[in-house]
Amino acid sequence: MSVYLDHNATSPLRAQAREAMARAYDAGGNPSSVHGPGRAARAIVETARASLARHFVTRAEDVVFTSGGTEANNLVIASAKAAGVKRLIISAIEHDAVRDAASASGLQVEILPVTPEGVADLGWLEARLSGWDRDADGVPFVALMAANNETGVVQPVEAAGRLVREAEGLFHVDAVQMAGKLAFDFAGSLAHYAALSAHKAGGPQGVGALLLACDAPLTRQMHGGGQETGRRSGTENVAGIAGFAAALAAVEVDEAARMAALRDALQLRLESVEGVRIWGAGATRLPNTLCLSADGWLSEIQVIAMDLAGFAISAGSACSSGKVRKSRVLEAMGASVDEAASAIRISLGWTSTQDDVDRFADAWMREYARIRPRLAAAV
Ligand code: PLP
């Protein structure tokens, strides 16, 4: 079996999540039914909601379950127009779930740039918001992710939130990659909205949540049975929701420190290789993520070579597997075309061990040393 080093794409299901899901499947009922099995299902959903609310420092009634991070992000952006938004400011490093939803919204989109370390430029944001013309530009709306999926760079969401609140705007945080890896305090972030996804934290795929501040406007997009207090119709994914809460509860207190030690040891070895550039190394990063470019060695070739050697990694953002394209995130950080084309992401998680990391470093360094003279000759 291959060594799995792609937790930012999906983190394998934790045993605690699987057990909680099995119990939920056994409970049967529809949470909207009034009979016993229905009430049992409702209790599972509401227990999970309360647990998520505690985890992210918010109120249970402000947690809306969705089919994942993509839906949560789309729900926010699709609601913006009715909230008086005419222009969306989104950071240059947002996931496609935000970027494409923004493009499809029919609203004007402005890009909040990032520094070469991949951190949102708050000087730019402050200047832009101070010149905001509410009559012409509508209610300010800013989307800034909590941590980037490709580089792991953690964003200054609280400081950005303060700027947006001062401008009486709406602030959205995609916290999909942050959840379960570092603490995310929704109340402290000053965000109106936060998107979450279970499978990035060792929960099941196809379930997520939107956190809403009490003053956050939301226009429902799904019409039907009025579940989630009318905010998101559709029978709840009871087992998925149970698995989501169980996965977050299973994150060990020292997990982040353990990840950071493994990642730093891996980085130390790989950065010593000539031609390697580490992205975001000077910024605060998620403890599990390492993004690097290897001079001349195309990302997809690296991914294939490592797959053959028994390691699962990804080429930049690999949300939908097999989709390899030049990283907009690295481009926004000033990467050259060649650097962006030779970037890979190694993302560790709860399954990762020192042995995984050592063996990966050995295999990757061996392969690069073998192929490098040929790459140089080909130039
Ligand atoms: N946002 C970020 C930052 C992500 O990394 C991803 C998935 O890679 C998503 C949103 C989409 O989440 P989901 O797969 O739950 O739809």
Side-chain angles (χ1 to χ4, degrees), residues 207-239:
V207 59
L210 176 64
L211 307 182
L212 286 165
C214 48
D215 56 344
L218 193 77
T219 308
R220 69 194 156 132
Q221 304 299 317
M222 299 280 251
H223 302 272
Q227 287 88 346
E228 299 296 284
T229 48
R231 294 173 293 187
R232 198 275 187 187
S233 282
T235 301
E236 297 88 340
N237 176 356
V238 179

Side-chain angles (χ1 to χ4, degrees), residues 54-100:
R54 273 196 306 281
H55 193 94
F56 295 110
V57 195
T58 189
R59 303 183 311 170
E61 57 267 42
D62 299 331
V63 177
V64 176
F65 287 113
T66 65
S67 64
T70 300
E71 186 190 336
N73 280 317
N74 273 264
L75 189 49
V76 171
I77 288 172
S79 292
K81 196 172 177 186
V85 174
K86 293 184 187 162
R87 307 180 80 84
L88 303 166
I89 297 179
I90 66 167
S91 87
I93 55 167
E94 293 303 302
H95 187 270
D96 283 348
V98 167
R99 182 185 277 266
D100 289 356

Side-chain angles (χ1 to χ4, degrees), residues 187-271:
S189 75
L190 303 178
H192 290 85
Y193 313 94
L196 301 168
S197 174
H199 73 107
K200 308 290 184 179
Q205 296 166 339
V207 59
L210 176 64
L211 307 182
L212 286 165
C214 48
D215 56 344
L218 193 77
T219 308
R220 69 194 156 132
Q221 304 299 317
M222 299 280 251
H223 302 272
Q227 287 88 346
E228 299 296 284
T229 48
R231 294 173 293 187
R232 198 275 187 187
S233 282
T235 301
E236 297 88 340
N237 176 356
V238 179
I241 288 168
F244 186 7
L248 288 171
V251 176
E252 285 169 17
V253 196
D254 63 349
E255 207 166 288
R258 196 174 75 79
M259 289 307 105
L262 291 177
R263 191 273 312 275
D264 292 349
L266 178 61
Q267 178 171 326
L268 205 61
R269 288 192 65 193
L270 300 188
E271 73 188 356

Side-chain angles (χ1 to χ4, degrees), residues 8 68-70 73 95 97 145 149 174 176-177 197 199-200 319:
N8 286 10
T70 300
N73 280 317
H95 187 270
M145 65 196 333
N149 43 303
D174 176 342
V176 163
Q177 290 292 344
S197 174
H199 73 107
K200 308 290 184 179
C319 227

Side-chain angles (χ1 to χ4, degrees), residues 2 46 56 68 72 77 80 92 123 133 158 168 176-177 191 226 229 264-265 272 290 299 307 318 330 358 369:
S2 72
E46 297 315 321
F56 295 110
I77 288 172
D133 176 349
E158 195 186 321
E168 294 178 18
V176 163
Q177 290 292 344
T229 48
D264 292 349
S272 68
L290 181 60
S299 316
D307 189 36
L330 298 185
D358 291 343

